[in-house]
Amino acid sequence: MGVHPRSMSVVGTTDAGDVVCGVLAADDAHDRPLTRAAATGATAGALASPLSEPEAPPHPSGLVRIRARRLSPIPYDSHEWSTAMSAIPLIIDTDTGSDDAVALLLAAASGLGDIRAVTTVAGNVPVETGTRNALISLETAGRTDIPVHPGCARPMTQALSTAQHVHGEDGMGDIGLPDPAATCHRTHAIETLLSSPHRYPGELTLVTLAPLTNIAAALMRDPELFTRYRHVYCMAGAADLCGNVSPTAEFNVWADPEAARIVTRAATPEKVTWIGWDVSRKDAVMTPSDQQRLEQIGTPMATFAHRINRTVNDWARDVTGLTGYDLPDPVAMAVALDPSLVTEQERVHVDISVTDDTRGQMIIDRRMSAPAPNITLVRRVDEAGFKKLLFDTVTTPLPGSPLTDAAAPALRPGSAS
């Protein structure tokens, strides 16, 4: 029997580890995972949104090269609303592994972001582990006040495949991090994604660092959701078709390609920007000298960022062949916080493959006869500017703490080295 694209329901208990997402069929009395046909076909009409005509590209390739203007992190003394007036209000969706954690530090401690809520989803690690890691990361940045909302525990139709072989069993390098002081909120991530832009219409920027399951589920309940956000930035895809989980696919899209397809079909280039693994591989690699600098800074945030990425460094050396580990989620967050970091971007029409042999591959149509663009793709960023933002942020003392304070959760006595 058919599954109506508007019949989404969220099911599960109030415990983060038991939260799952399902679709309630119109004539069914029980929840079931979304079928691939519903995710890739039936949703197309429901999620269709008018796409603007493409602008005449200034370069024959369609790429736009930008002369960037630098912004520096904004110093702050407190997290009162009055202090955050110039910061960008954010909702962040994450499957918190080690690079997500660094992205959360940027958003929470650079002074450029004002995080209103964090939502979590299964991806790098199971959702309950990612929720724990998000709470630890925010505590490391001195922000235990930020609410964290668990979301979907499985992809829309695929079996859950994590990246624990990359980020460690705990997603944070297996360094023995103690439990966070704060606990997660009981409001489901999808409800937070839907209700937040109604509370702050046109103000919020949504940044996704994970498989797009939560976002697609929210879109199925509100197909106009993206119009309610100021902008949506996604760490997603590999525009050059050089993958990190398959020959042509990036993990976040590969993990839930049906969800990614729903997102592309709801997107417009004015509202939705993707920053892919190709950008990270070119402009966000932490070389041995960068890693040494991070270690030598010695603040709680710098030490945390360095230690949690040790398993990623091993994986990068053995699998991707990079000169160090790369930081896809932090560079995507940096673009959201400071769009002037972008030096090259293009507006194109993007679809996502959901077939087994090319699962998660971006299908980018740059022909003159292509459908109207639906995504802005970032292709290059200012590497020096990104790393300056990173190093400046982790050098920042924790609010209310001296520069040498070693009380962050990653550095408590007894933690593994």
Side-chain angles (χ1 to χ4, degrees):
M1 64 191 71
V3 178
H4 194 280
R6 294 181 182 273
S7 60
M8 172 62 87
S9 65
V10 178
V11 298
T13 73
T14 54
D15 293 329
D18 294 327
V19 173
V20 296
C21 298
V23 173
L24 187 62
D27 53 352
D28 251 347
H30 63 277
D31 291 284
R32 59 174 59 182
L34 182 64
T35 65
R36 177 173 291 186
T40 60
T43 56
L47 297 178
S49 55
L51 298 176
S52 62
E53 291 300 316
E55 298 177 357
H59 186 276
S61 68
L63 293 173
V64 178
R65 291 178 174 81
I66 302 166
R67 186 179 298 275
R69 174 180 57 85
R70 291 277 57 74
L71 295 177
S72 297
I74 302 168
Y76 59 91
D77 298 315
S78 72
H79 300 294
E80 299 298 327
W81 293 114
S82 58
T83 310
M85 288 290 288
S86 58
I88 300 171
L90 300 170
I91 303 292
I92 301 172
D93 189 67
T94 172
D95 58 340
T96 315
S98 55
D99 65 316
D100 304 68
V102 177
L104 288 174
L105 296 184
L106 290 180
S110 68
L112 299 176
D114 171 19
I115 307 175
R116 303 295 176 86
V118 171
T119 58
T120 61
V121 68
N124 284 327
V125 290
V127 67
E128 66 271 20
T129 305
T131 301
R132 176 183 185 270
N133 292 344
L135 290 166
I136 290 172
S137 303
L138 293 171
E139 184 177 341
T140 302
R143 297 302 309 274
T144 56
D145 58 304
I146 296 172
V148 176
H149 303 268
C152 295
R154 63 172 183 250
M156 302 190 81
T157 71
Q158 307 284 342
L160 175 62
S161 296
T162 70
Q164 288 165 289
H165 63 291
V166 177
H167 298 277
E169 283 300 309
D170 70 351
M172 304 283 267
D174 294 329
I175 61 172
L177 294 172
D179 288 336
T183 58
C184 66
H185 281 233
R186 292 178 179 269
T187 304
H188 195 279
I190 295 173
E191 297 302 328
T192 301
L193 291 165
L194 289 166
S195 64
S196 296
H198 287 281
R199 293 177 60 196
Y200 307 102
E203 295 181 23
L204 298 174
T205 293
L206 173 61
V207 183
T208 77
L209 309 173
L212 292 161
T213 315
N214 283 344
I215 313 305
L219 281 166
M220 293 182 72
R221 288 179 48 183
D222 181 3
E224 301 300 316
L225 180 65
F226 287 162
T227 69
R228 310 187 199 287
Y229 282 93
R230 183 172 178 231
H231 202 81
V232 179
Y233 292 93
C234 302
M235 191 283 119
D240 61 359
L241 304 188
C242 292
N244 58 9
V245 69
S246 78
T248 59
E250 174 273 329
F251 176 79
N252 285 346
V253 175
W254 177 90
D256 197 342
E258 287 79 15
R261 173 174 272 192
I262 288 173
V263 167
T264 62
R265 292 183 175 184
T268 62
E270 297 82 12
K271 282 290 185 179
V272 180
T273 298
W274 281 23
I275 306 95
W277 189 59
D278 51 308
V279 177
S280 180
R281 199 177 68 249
K282 296 172 184 175
D283 299 321
V285 174
M286 295 294 285
T287 65
S289 61
D290 292 326
Q291 295 176 46
Q292 183 180 30
R293 179 180 176 187
L294 192 62
E295 184 178 23
Q296 290 175 344
I297 288 173
T299 62
M301 284 192 288
T303 302
F304 175 78
H306 175 67
R307 292 172 64 201
I308 62 177
N309 280 290
R310 67 177 191 174
T311 59
V312 179
N313 191 54
D314 294 340
W315 180 81
R317 180 193 64 233
D318 298 339
V319 178
T320 64
L322 298 174
T323 57
Y325 64 84
D326 64 305
L327 293 173
D329 290 339
V331 77
M333 181 63 71
V335 168
L337 295 172
D338 180 3
S340 73
L341 285 168
V342 177
T343 60
E344 189 173 296
Q345 65 184 20
E346 59 180 335
R347 289 185 171 189
V348 291
H349 186 271
V350 176
D351 198 1
I352 302 299
S353 173
V354 296
T355 62
D356 291 339
D357 55 344
T358 56
R359 169 181 166 179
Q361 177 180 310
M362 296 176 68
I363 304 169
I364 304 172
D365 196 340
R366 297 185 176 93
R367 298 173 299 169
M368 294 298 293
S369 59
N374 59 346
I375 300 284
T376 294
L377 291 182
V378 172
R379 301 306 307 276
R380 298 299 300 266
V381 301
D382 177 354
E383 179 179 357
F386 162 65
K387 290 181 178 179
K388 181 178 188 303
L389 175 60
L390 173 62
F391 288 127
D392 286 353
T393 298
V394 299
T395 302
T396 305
L398 293 175
S401 300
L403 184 65
T404 56
D405 183 8
L411 303 176
R412 289 177 188 157
S415 296
S417 58

